Amino acid sequence: MFLQTKPLQITSAQALGGTCVRVQFSDGREAQIDLKPLLTGPMFDCLRDPALFACFQLDEDLGTLVWANGADLAPEALYFLAFHQDPALQELFRTWGYGSQR
């Protein structure tokens, strides 16, 4: 069983093209993630443009990705998207309010 005791944060991030990023989390795990499923709603419409999407910054205080238009994505959402199939993380995901399926 894996339970996160400190708030999860993104410690580094790199745009890979399109809506894909490579991120490292504060627990040491790394992942390449296509964030397209998270880019829904008016705040994220402009981020479907790869050039604008790539202009994110890492907010080091909050440990999350942010864009100039005010959009941000919670580290937990990226973590779930990256590792939703890992059986060892299902209990953690339930505590965050995520089901075991995307």
Side-chain angles (χ1 to χ4, degrees):
M1 173 178 21
F2 174 88
L3 290 176
Q4 184 78 20
T5 56
K6 295 180 182 179
L8 184 69
Q9 295 191 326
I10 297 168
T11 58
S12 68
Q14 174 187 12
L16 298 176
T19 55
C20 293
V21 295
R22 178 175 293 121
V23 295
Q24 181 169 18
F25 296 95
S26 56
D27 69 352
R29 286 183 179 238
E30 293 184 38
Q32 181 175 324
I33 312 167
D34 185 350
L35 300 183
K36 188 175 183 176
L38 301 178
L39 303 180
T40 61
M43 181 67 86
F44 295 102
D45 283 345
C46 66
L47 300 182
R48 291 189 190 103
D49 175 334
L52 293 175
F53 176 85
C55 292
F56 65 79
Q57 294 184 347
L58 177 61
D59 182 317
E60 293 182 10
D61 292 329
L62 299 175
T64 192
L65 302 182
V66 296
W67 286 266
N69 70 343
D72 66 0
L73 292 169
E76 295 84 2
L78 277 68
Y79 199 84
F80 179 73
L81 188 59
F83 305 115
H84 67 276
Q85 293 183 337
D86 186 332
L89 297 173
Q90 297 312 303
E91 185 174 340
L92 176 64
F93 294 146
R94 282 190 291 278
T95 67
W96 289 347
Y98 293 100
S100 60
Q101 302 295 319
R102 280 194 314 150

